[in-house]
Amino acid sequence: MADFAGFPPSGPQFYAELEHDNTREFWAANKERWERDVRDPMRALVSALEPEFGTAVIFRPHRDLRFSPDRSPYKTHQGAIAGPAPGFGYYVGLDADGLTVGGGFRTHSPAETDRFRQAVLSDAGAGLAGIVATLVDQGYVMEGAALKTRPRGYPADHPRTDLLRRKELMAVTNVGTPDWLSTPGALDHVRLMWRQIRPLAEWVVGHVEPD
């Protein structure tokens, strides 16, 4: 595989055009652009990161239309994950707005969410609160499905109620299209951000225990 050389400006531009013409005709006419400017750079990026962060997978470009009223056939972003289990670890994605980097976990079962909340209640929860505070200070946004109020059966006055409301937890930052995105230096930037996210990724792997 070729060394990572950056994402060319035509990568985000491809998705800007796809958002306006999400058709099989557009895809057929521009598939080689996607392969050259999006897929291949993403493969090279995560391949270079795998030795430190674990096995990586890039997502397929086709949307799952089985249960969706939206019949658009293609995703308007290219994502990839690295880590020990589906939904756990590190994320990087490219779309019309540029690069997004994140990590944590997306729940795949109520049992995972229950284990997460039990860990938040334990002494380990204080460590998680500190990790989250540090990531927010570094500019990350905490995302993931959450209840509007505390979950039933949990203490009303618990100091980590905000974390208890969450079903899953991801730290995410959208970096856009900085000058370095189209250079090999983008690898170092993503590596640095994944290292910042590592305490969160390791906490959820250790305490939520993927199904």
Side-chain angles (χ1 to χ4, degrees):
M1 180 177 294
D3 291 341
F4 177 70
F7 290 102
S10 49
Q13 179 60 34
F14 168 82
Y15 283 114
E17 295 175 25
L18 181 63
E19 287 179 357
H20 289 91
D21 189 7
N22 197 326
T23 63
R24 290 178 174 83
E25 292 75 16
F26 174 87
W27 188 268
N30 292 276
K31 184 179 179 181
E32 290 185 1
R33 287 177 59 200
W34 170 75
E35 292 174 342
R36 181 189 68 237
D37 301 335
V38 178
R39 185 198 65 183
D40 291 350
M42 185 65 77
R43 283 179 173 175
L45 173 66
V46 296
S47 177
L49 292 166
E50 278 186 322
E52 182 173 350
F53 298 98
T55 301
V57 177
I58 71 168
F59 301 151
R60 292 169 54 86
H62 303 85
R63 296 182 63 249
D64 184 352
L65 304 181
R66 290 174 297 174
F67 308 107
S68 175
D70 179 0
R71 308 310 292 176
S72 302
Y74 302 103
K75 299 172 184 174
T76 54
H77 66 280
Q78 177 63 64
I81 56 172
F88 285 75
Y90 308 89
Y91 172 82
V92 61
L94 188 77
D95 62 14
D97 294 325
L99 195 71
T100 297
V101 180
F105 89 107
R106 296 288 190 191
T107 187
H108 287 78
S109 72
E112 288 181 349
T113 295
D114 287 344
R115 289 194 293 272
F116 168 73
R117 288 175 174 158
Q118 289 302 314
V120 170
L121 282 177
S122 73
D123 292 342
L128 176 61
I131 291 169
V132 168
T134 297
L135 288 168
V136 170
D137 287 344
Q138 291 171 331
Y140 293 89
V141 175
M142 309 312 295
E143 295 186 354
L147 300 175
K148 292 183 178 179
T149 60
R150 67 178 173 87
R152 185 176 301 174
Y154 287 84
D157 59 349
H158 197 278
R160 295 188 286 276
T161 298
D162 181 64
L163 289 173
L164 289 173
R165 289 192 301 106
R166 296 184 178 273
K167 299 179 180 180
E168 55 191 13
L169 186 62
M170 293 280 291
V172 178
T173 183
N174 303 103
V175 300
T177 55
D179 291 341
W180 52 256
L181 184 60
S182 60
T183 74
L187 170 61
D188 295 328
H189 285 273
V190 175
R191 180 184 288 115
L192 173 61
M193 287 182 276
W194 277 10
R195 286 175 176 171
Q196 291 175 327
I197 292 167
R198 177 180 281 143
L200 173 61
E202 292 182 345
W203 191 97
V204 296
V205 169
H207 292 90
V208 179
E209 301 172 7
D211 289 339

